[in-house]
Amino acid sequence: MPTNLELCLSFSRLLSYPNAQVKMAAADCYKQLKQCDPQAAMAFANFINFLEQQELPQIEELYTSAFDLQAISFPYIGYQLCGESQARTMFLMKLQEIYNQHNFSSEGELPDHLSVMLRFIGTVPDPQGNSEIISDALLPALEKIIQGIENQAHPYRQLLVSLQTYLTNLVAIELPESAPQKELSHG
């Protein structure tokens, strides 16, 4: 059975700019999802089908159309929650502070990029802190990003729906309703 950390790392790789390993990474993620979250795997199946029919240049083109050409679906969590504002700056500073506490590097990307945040969750075993990041930041921002990709059949929209389903189920398991929640300040 895959761990939650492994799945977050798999999603992180898939939400980074595509490279030659994207099909292998997707197949691995799909296999993991089928074992631990069949509901999320169902949404993921459309993404797998798309990848099997495309070459890397077409995959790159669709990635760019989903995330880089429209501000409404930029994969930057702070931007989705706060826009270009002082609140986003504070969000970025808080994330960087958290990353520094765990000796985590965003590797040249802004700390609020969706793939970086997923890689952090997949690297740092801190269930309570990660559940807060997921509940207070990732899930609300994912909803906006998904809505920003209007084409319901867009493969990256399907990937995001799968991620949203997985993270929602993950938080429901790891963070019981009665547990006190501390918000990650995002304005």
Side-chain angles (χ1 to χ4, degrees), residues 91-100 111-112 117 184:
F91 182 80
L92 290 169
M93 290 170 53
K94 178 65 175 171
L95 271 179
Q96 192 58 56
E97 179 183 311
I98 292 168
Y99 293 171
N100 290 343
D112 68 336
M117 292 182 73
L184 178 68

Side-chain angles (χ1 to χ4, degrees), residues 124-137:
V124 178
D126 177 8
Q128 181 65 33
N130 289 342
S131 290
E132 291 172 11
I133 290 171
I134 293 168
S135 297
D136 297 342

